[in-house]
Amino acid sequence: MTSLWPQACLSGNDADFPSDINDAVENIRKATKGFGTDEKALISALGALGPAQRALVAKRYEEEYEKNLAKLMSKECGGDFGEALQLLAQPIAEAEASIIRKACKGVGTTEKLVYETLCGRTNDEINAIKKAYYKLYGKDLNVVLAGELGGDLEALIMQCLQADEEEFNPDVHTEEKAKEDARLFDMAGRKKKLGTFQLICSSPAEYLKMVNLAYVERVGYSLARSLAKELGGDAKDAAVHTVNMKLKPVDTAVSIIESTMKGIGTDEYGLTVAVLRYQALLGSGCNAYEKEYGKSLEKRVKREFLEPKYNVLWHASIVRSEEV
């Protein structure tokens, strides 16, 4: 499974803060001190940082000034731009927890935000998001989502939240086992039984690729296509997303980013979340996007955001994208 976060976001960092972190903290302080807010300075301070650096900035700012940086961004800047800054002003696990919170607030649930956050993630990332959700909101994420979702989508999300993906072992994850699991997956589909979520969630990416090849040899089409035939609605999209994040994560991330900009109008929050989450893949993703769509991702994003300051913020984030 491809990790979307640098290891430093999972292991924590109690070492001394590097000078660039201290500089960013001071620049944020200056930008928000007194009357008015220097939004260009905030963009410079936060927009060009990777997720590990942003976590250090948030930690250092609270230590130095006894203020939560995300709450400060909420106070200083409004609208979509303010929401983007709030996400950038938190450790990545807390930012993703807040995305789920937003998806569940009010009447109805934005299922797409939920499954894109939780499906196809590493065990460590899932556990970190659950821990962050409880820290921020005092509630168990499993319980919250069990109350928000239903049917096949709930079953898939609950399976993802188990964070039980196996470590690839060539002695266990053999070609013979892959063929047998492909057979069982096929039979489950024919009998309209949906006991396939455990396979796609718990299988390591290397093994799921083996199962997919065996399945194609057996029935002539992929696991993702089979799930699309067996399921419907958000459950179908979530299951296909889970498989694709394991089999082709860069192409999947690029497709999600493009989907937020297709048609009339741009889903600015969806685009914000996608760029934030997949920043680590965008080094390869920019090339993949241009190959698939025949245009530059940076230029595409720049054209979609009508608000110049918002545009510059995410342009900086794309340029700063880093491989994990």
Side-chain angles (χ1 to χ4, degrees):
M1 174 76 75
T2 299
S3 176
L4 300 181
W5 302 345
Q7 185 57 38
C9 291
L10 296 166
S11 60
N13 190 338
D14 296 323
D16 292 337
F17 294 98
S19 60
D20 60 331
I21 300 301
N22 287 317
D23 289 344
V25 166
E26 287 308 306
N27 289 336
I28 292 169
R29 174 68 170 174
K30 291 176 183 176
T32 56
K33 192 175 180 181
F35 181 77
T37 303
D38 185 344
E39 294 175 342
K40 289 183 179 179
L42 291 179
I43 291 170
S44 297
L46 288 171
L49 299 178
Q53 293 172 304
R54 294 198 299 267
L56 289 175
V57 168
K59 181 178 181 182
R60 180 59 172 162
Y61 194 93
E62 189 153 9
E63 286 183 0
E64 186 72 13
Y65 299 110
E66 298 182 345
K67 290 184 179 180
N68 180 277
L69 188 56
K71 291 181 179 178
L72 177 65
M73 293 301 101
S74 176
K75 177 184 176 182
E76 295 289 331
C77 303
D80 293 325
F81 179 67
E83 280 195 324
L85 284 176
Q86 288 173 57
L87 291 174
L88 290 175
Q90 304 176 73
I92 188 65
E94 294 182 16
E96 298 230 53
S98 73
I99 291 165
I100 297 174
R101 170 76 165 182
K102 181 179 176 70
C104 297
K105 285 185 71 175
V107 179
T109 303
T110 309
E111 286 84 357
K112 189 172 187 287
L113 286 175
V114 173
Y115 71 71
E116 287 181 356
T117 301
L118 296 174
C119 294
R121 305 300 295 269
T122 68
N123 294 346
D124 287 341
E125 288 170 355
I126 288 289
N127 286 328
I129 291 169
K130 290 195 295 185
K131 182 178 180 180
Y133 195 94
Y134 188 82
K135 173 188 173 184
L136 292 174
Y137 308 113
K139 295 182 179 180
D140 185 296
L141 186 55
N142 295 60
V143 175
V144 170
L145 291 178
E148 293 286 338
L149 307 173
D152 296 326
L153 180 60
E154 180 189 351
L156 174 58
I157 295 298
M158 291 302 111
Q159 185 66 53
C160 290
L161 288 172
Q162 294 302 308
D164 63 353
E165 182 182 276
E166 301 166 0
E167 185 176 348
F168 181 71
N169 183 339
D171 294 330
V172 174
H173 299 106
T174 62
E175 188 173 334
E176 290 74 20
K177 178 175 170 56
K179 289 179 179 179
E180 175 61 10
D181 279 338
R183 184 187 72 81
L184 293 173
F185 190 97
D186 182 30
M187 296 307 297
R190 292 185 184 188
K191 295 177 181 178
K192 303 301 179 185
K193 292 183 178 179
L194 302 174
T196 54
F197 294 156
Q198 184 174 4
L199 174 69
I200 65 174
C201 292
S202 64
S203 295
E206 301 94 327
Y207 179 63
L208 196 63
K209 290 177 183 177
M210 295 166 62
V211 176
N212 189 56
L213 287 173
Y215 192 78
V216 170
E217 289 181 4
R218 179 181 176 85
V219 303
Y221 50 84
S222 68
L223 295 174
R225 183 178 173 188
S226 176
L227 290 165
K229 291 172 64 177
E230 294 169 17
L231 300 168
D234 291 311
K236 174 192 72 175
D237 295 338
V240 171
H241 175 77
T242 303
V243 171
N244 285 342
M245 278 302 296
K246 293 194 176 191
L247 301 187
K248 47 180 184 179
V250 173
D251 290 342
T252 302
V254 162
S255 177
I256 289 170
I257 291 171
E258 172 63 17
S259 72
T260 67
M261 301 183 285
K262 284 184 69 174
I264 300 173
T266 299
D267 176 5
E268 293 192 348
Y269 187 76
L271 180 54
T272 295
V273 167
V275 173
L276 176 82
R277 179 178 302 121
Y278 302 120
Q279 187 179 12
L281 302 181
L282 292 183
S284 301
C286 286
N287 294 330
Y289 186 92
E290 190 158 359
K291 182 178 179 181
E292 178 67 22
Y293 301 105
K295 61 190 78 171
S296 162
L297 178 58
E298 294 172 39
K299 292 180 180 178
R300 176 81 157 109
V301 170
K302 187 175 181 180
R303 191 178 71 198
E304 290 299 316
F305 286 127
L306 299 178
E307 192 175 358
K309 60 191 177 185
Y310 201 30
N311 186 318
V312 172
L313 177 65
W314 285 117
H315 176 77
S317 294
I318 290 173
V319 170
R320 179 61 181 82
S321 59
E322 57 191 16
E323 295 290 343
V324 175

